[in-house]
Amino acid sequence: MRLLIILIIVLVSSCTKGQDKYKTDRNNMVRQQIERRGIRDEKTLNAMRRVERHKFVPSYLVSSAYNDRPLAIGHGQTISQPYIVAYMTEILELEKADKALEIGTGSGYQAAVLAEIADSVFTIEIIEALYESATQKLSELEYKNVYTKNADGYFGWEEHAPYDAIIVTAASEIIPPPLIDQLKDGGKMIIPVGSPFMNQMLVLVEKKNGKTTTQSLLPVRFVPFTRK
Ligand code: SAH
């Protein structure tokens, strides 16, 4: 009996130590990669400290989950570098009551980060296998305010429009007009614009009094926005 109790204590403490390690890794990631590069928004920083990035990457990459780079998630796709996730999140200036739309669910990581801040997140993925794995992951981790869909995100998700914020995580040659239509007046969209695998620009699109303005922010490299 005593042996069993000792065994349980050892097991539980080794599990919590494992969790602590990832928590430390996450705090270091936020400090060294994100705050140091100028991200100051507390909501974004807290979301990045909370979301367990290592649970969104394939098992063989878990030990690299908090590294300063994008990671492969299968099907030729990638989960963005943590700094880029934080940068795009901060730019959107999400409020607690906001509704956000994401195009390119991928692993579901960016959707989880948004869901820590906003009221609801609608996210669309074109590759069925990724849609399925991300949906399962988000449900396992109890992100009840994330809604997933397997479709071509070019057309947005009309049913729940308009959105306070739209984030596109695949590089498109153009800003899809349906997404501009589905952006709320006063809303913000962030989208990488440019040719596949060439240098692209993160573009901020803002709609004010029915007028749409764009602003180029940062050179980036994203996987291509594909069409069905
Ligand atoms: N946000 C993701 C990273 C995604 S990588 C994450 O946090 O993990 C870009 C994703 O966009 C890929 O999964 C790709 O399949 C998807 N994608 C590309 N074109 C798309 C389109 N037209 N509609 C929806 N998803 C698209």
Side-chain angles (χ1 to χ4, degrees):
M1 185 65 187
R2 200 179 287 163
L3 199 65
L4 187 67
I5 292 173
I6 292 173
L7 192 68
I8 290 172
I9 291 172
V10 168
L11 270 174
V12 168
S13 79
S14 71
C15 283
T16 32
K17 229 182 243 156
Q19 284 308 314
D20 281 354
K21 178 197 172 321
Y22 292 122
K23 197 168 176 196
T24 307
D25 287 353
R26 262 198 310 284
N27 287 336
N28 289 341
M29 168 191 87
V30 168
R31 212 177 28 255
Q32 293 162 5
Q33 305 170 30
I34 297 173
E35 286 186 286
R36 220 164 62 188
R37 293 192 179 112
I39 305 290
R40 291 285 174 268
D41 174 47
E42 268 309 315
K43 285 189 256 183
T44 301
L45 297 173
N46 281 333
M48 298 296 294
R49 285 185 195 108
R50 275 199 299 268
V51 181
E52 299 178 293
R53 185 169 161 97
H54 65 281
K55 296 202 172 153
F56 290 87
V57 302
S59 50
Y60 77 97
L61 286 174
V62 165
S63 61
S64 313
Y66 296 100
N67 291 357
D68 193 13
R69 59 182 180 93
L71 294 171
I73 54 169
H75 306 271
Q77 307 304 319
T78 54
I79 173 172
S80 303
Q81 179 190 6
Y83 169 65
I84 295 294
V85 173
Y87 182 91
M88 293 173 84
T89 305
E90 181 180 63
I91 286 287
L92 294 173
E93 296 186 88
L94 286 168
E95 300 287 342
K96 219 175 161 172
D98 282 358
K99 197 189 326 180
L101 172 70
E102 179 192 28
I103 310 301
T105 316
S107 66
Y109 176 70
Q110 172 79 70
V113 170
L114 300 174
E116 292 280 350
I117 307 173
D119 174 72
S120 47
V121 178
F122 295 85
T123 179
I124 307 178
E125 171 56 51
I126 201 165
I127 298 176
E128 193 175 357
L130 287 176
Y131 153 78
E132 272 165 10
S133 53
T135 304
Q136 194 186 337
K137 179 65 61 189
L138 289 161
S139 142
E140 261 168 42
L141 298 175
E142 297 189 35
Y143 280 98
K144 296 199 169 82
N145 57 339
V146 181
Y147 305 88
T148 58
K149 176 171 160 166
N150 177 214
D152 179 353
Y154 178 91
F155 302 102
W157 197 337
E158 179 74 58
E159 196 185 337
H160 304 285
Y163 300 94
D164 302 282
I166 300 181
I167 178 169
V168 182
T169 62
S172 177
E173 310 240 2
I174 59 150
I175 303 169
L179 298 185
I180 296 174
D181 290 344
Q182 291 174 26
L183 188 63
K184 200 179 267 183
D185 202 87
K188 290 183 201 291
M189 163 161 45
I190 183 94
I191 174 169
V193 179
S195 309
F197 304 112
M198 305 280 290
N199 278 341
Q200 305 138 5
M201 269 295 188
L202 267 187
V203 173
L204 174 66
V205 182
E206 287 180 278
K207 208 191 250 187
K208 273 191 201 128
N209 306 318
K211 216 176 124 227
T212 304
T213 58
T214 62
Q215 201 185 328
S216 293
L217 298 176
L218 185 76
V220 283
R221 194 170 284 196
F222 274 79
V223 294
F225 192 97
T226 54
R227 304 298 313 281
K228 261 203 166 141

Short mmCIF file of all heavy atoms in Angstrom, two decimals, residues 5 19 22 33 40 43 51 97 171:
data_model
loop_
_atom_site.label_atom_id
_atom_site.label_comp_id
_atom_site.label_asym_id
_atom_site.label_seq_id
_atom_site.Cartn_x
_atom_site.Cartn_y
_atom_site.Cartn_z
N ILE A 5 1.30 4.27 -2.81
CA ILE A 5 1.16 5.72 -2.57
C ILE A 5 2.40 6.45 -3.06
O ILE A 5 2.32 7.46 -3.76
CB ILE A 5 0.89 6.01 -1.07
CG1 ILE A 5 -0.49 5.46 -0.71
CG2 ILE A 5 0.96 7.51 -0.78
CD1 ILE A 5 -0.83 5.50 0.75
N GLN A 19 4.58 19.69 -17.02
CA GLN A 19 3.74 20.85 -17.31
C GLN A 19 4.48 22.15 -16.99
O GLN A 19 4.43 23.10 -17.74
CB GLN A 19 2.43 20.78 -16.51
CG GLN A 19 1.43 19.78 -17.07
CD GLN A 19 1.16 19.98 -18.55
OE1 GLN A 19 0.94 21.10 -19.01
NE2 GLN A 19 1.20 18.91 -19.32
N TYR A 22 6.89 23.23 -19.67
CA TYR A 22 6.28 23.93 -20.81
C TYR A 22 5.84 25.34 -20.43
O TYR A 22 5.91 26.25 -21.24
CB TYR A 22 5.10 23.12 -21.36
CG TYR A 22 5.53 21.84 -22.01
CD1 TYR A 22 5.05 20.60 -21.58
CD2 TYR A 22 6.45 21.86 -23.06
CE1 TYR A 22 5.47 19.43 -22.18
CE2 TYR A 22 6.88 20.68 -23.66
CZ TYR A 22 6.39 19.47 -23.22
OH TYR A 22 6.81 18.32 -23.81
N GLN A 33 11.11 36.29 -27.23
CA GLN A 33 10.80 36.41 -28.66
C GLN A 33 9.75 37.47 -28.95
O GLN A 33 9.70 38.01 -30.05
CB GLN A 33 10.26 35.06 -29.21
CG GLN A 33 11.18 33.89 -28.97
CD GLN A 33 10.48 32.58 -29.31
OE1 GLN A 33 9.62 32.53 -30.17
NE2 GLN A 33 10.84 31.50 -28.64
N ARG A 40 3.47 44.77 -26.77
CA ARG A 40 3.21 45.28 -25.42
C ARG A 40 1.80 44.99 -24.92
O ARG A 40 1.53 45.13 -23.73
CB ARG A 40 3.43 46.81 -25.38
CG ARG A 40 4.87 47.24 -25.55
CD ARG A 40 5.68 46.99 -24.28
NE ARG A 40 7.09 47.27 -24.48
CZ ARG A 40 7.98 46.37 -24.86
NH1 ARG A 40 7.62 45.11 -25.06
NH2 ARG A 40 9.25 46.69 -25.05
N LYS A 43 -3.23 41.72 -23.29
CA LYS A 43 -4.16 40.64 -23.65
C LYS A 43 -3.47 39.63 -24.55
O LYS A 43 -3.62 38.42 -24.40
CB LYS A 43 -5.39 41.22 -24.37
CG LYS A 43 -6.34 41.93 -23.43
CD LYS A 43 -7.62 42.27 -24.15
CE LYS A 43 -7.65 43.73 -24.46
NZ LYS A 43 -8.88 44.19 -25.09
N VAL A 51 -1.87 29.69 -24.02
CA VAL A 51 -2.15 28.62 -24.99
C VAL A 51 -0.97 27.65 -25.10
O VAL A 51 0.17 28.05 -25.31
CB VAL A 51 -2.52 29.18 -26.38
CG1 VAL A 51 -2.83 28.05 -27.36
CG2 VAL A 51 -3.71 30.12 -26.28
N ALA A 97 -15.86 41.33 -26.30
CA ALA A 97 -17.16 41.02 -26.91
C ALA A 97 -17.03 40.75 -28.41
O ALA A 97 -18.03 40.53 -29.09
CB ALA A 97 -18.10 42.18 -26.67
N ALA A 171 -0.89 33.26 -47.61
CA ALA A 171 -0.63 34.44 -48.44
C ALA A 171 -1.45 34.43 -49.72
O ALA A 171 -1.44 33.47 -50.48
CB ALA A 171 0.85 34.50 -48.79
#
